[in-house]
Amino acid sequence: MKKTIVSLAAVASVSAVTATAVSADEIKVKKGDTLWGIAQNNGVSVNDIKDENGLNSNLIFPNQVLSINEGENGQAQAQTSSSVHTVQSGDTLYSIGQANNVSVQELKAWNNLNSNLIYPGEKLTLDGAAVAEQSTSEKSSSNEEAKAEQTSSQPAEDGVVKTLNMEATAYTAFCEGCSGTTSTGIDLRANPDQKVIAVDPNVIPLGSEVYVEGYGKAIAGDIGGAIKGNRIDVFMADRSDALDFGRKSVEVKVYE
């Protein structure tokens, strides 16, 4: 995403957005929910929800009840039952996994992915049974390798792959010349509450879930020309908050 202001702050990870189901076609908004997150979890677009509920903006409130129109093909329910997911703009392996009750590691294994980078239009298998079966010897070998890799790359039970000490600055999408859309397709202007950080993909893979000291949980969903090596840029909707954040050293935990 094009950024014209001076970067300033720390990173965080995007908390998975959840919502309480009231009925088959209604969602009760919880604190921290955004239209983007609800749309992702239900297989519909933000505009679909706004049109269905007569909303003029992306502002929603806790305990507000929203109607979710599944459409002619029942798209909302298919989101969690279909064995194939077509990647949409803004999707990450983490958000797809959360919506379909599978792990990032499983998605990568089932789809032969070597990184967390995915692209709109790409089709991902969501069911291991749909993947061609390996021979008995291949399965045994793969399982042993997976166990060895898990032991060496996951030092903690909470899924943290690595912990880094990084220099953090902050940026905003609400500035002259800013597009408002990250390199992975997240519309920050439409979702100002989204927790996103810009990273060097060689250090933190795009799409990774992270926890940034002083910022919280976020998604590595953007890049920047000045973001190289052990440096991150955290998104803040308010320009003054980004400026106040300054430049600081933070601890960043990267999850699988």
Side-chain angles (χ1 to χ4, degrees):
M1 182 182 77
K2 183 178 179 181
K3 297 190 281 287
T4 59
I5 68 166
V6 177
S7 291
L8 303 165
V11 177
S13 92
V14 175
S15 300
V17 178
T18 59
T20 302
V22 176
S23 67
D25 58 358
E26 290 185 336
I27 291 293
K28 187 174 183 181
V29 177
K30 295 175 63 178
K31 184 178 180 181
D33 280 352
T34 64
L35 282 183
W36 183 85
I38 293 173
Q40 289 292 301
N41 285 348
N42 290 276
V44 296
S45 70
V46 170
N47 286 334
D48 286 338
I49 298 177
K50 292 173 70 175
D51 291 343
E52 180 70 16
N53 294 274
L55 301 178
N56 296 320
S57 71
N58 293 328
L59 191 62
I60 54 177
F61 306 92
N63 298 321
Q64 182 177 0
V65 177
L66 300 175
S67 295
I68 305 296
N69 188 351
E70 298 177 1
E72 296 179 359
N73 298 320
Q75 184 179 2
Q77 290 184 352
Q79 178 75 7
T80 57
S81 60
S82 175
S83 62
V84 176
H85 174 83
T86 300
V87 177
Q88 301 176 31
S89 178
D91 277 354
T92 64
L93 287 182
Y94 176 78
S95 67
I96 294 171
Q98 288 292 302
N100 292 279
N101 297 316
V102 297
S103 69
V104 170
Q105 187 175 9
E106 286 173 326
L107 287 174
K108 292 174 70 174
W110 295 339
N111 293 279
N112 296 318
L113 299 177
N114 296 318
S115 73
N116 292 338
L117 193 61
I118 53 178
Y119 304 92
E122 186 175 358
K123 294 185 183 299
L124 299 178
T125 295
L126 303 176
D127 185 358
V131 181
E133 291 189 3
Q134 298 172 306
S135 66
T136 302
S137 60
E138 288 177 329
K139 285 183 179 180
S140 176
S141 176
S142 296
N143 288 339
E144 291 302 320
E145 291 177 3
K147 289 180 181 179
E149 180 179 354
Q150 185 176 33
T151 300
S152 62
S153 64
Q154 297 183 13
E157 294 181 359
D158 59 2
V160 175
V161 175
K162 57 184 175 181
T163 300
L164 303 168
N165 289 318
M166 310 190 78
E167 181 181 272
T169 52
Y171 72 97
T172 180
F174 297 87
C175 59
E176 183 178 355
C178 297
S179 69
T181 303
T182 72
S183 61
T184 58
I186 302 173
D187 187 343
L188 295 176
R189 292 188 177 182
N191 302 278
D193 295 329
Q194 189 83 0
K195 292 275 194 174
V196 175
I197 65 170
V199 300
D200 180 343
N202 293 319
V203 178
I204 299 178
L206 283 171
S208 298
E209 183 192 12
V210 300
Y211 180 86
V212 180
E213 179 185 3
Y215 183 70
K217 281 194 171 183
I219 202 76
D222 207 356
I223 59 175
I227 307 304
K228 302 294 182 183
N230 280 20
R231 182 179 174 187
I232 59 172
D233 215 1
V234 301
F235 167 69
M236 292 187 173
D238 191 282
R239 185 175 185 275
S240 63
D241 288 341
L243 290 170
D244 290 341
F245 189 85
R247 185 185 301 271
K248 59 187 69 177
S249 178
V250 297
E251 182 180 86
V252 179
K253 293 182 179 181
V254 182
Y255 296 86
E256 65 173 354

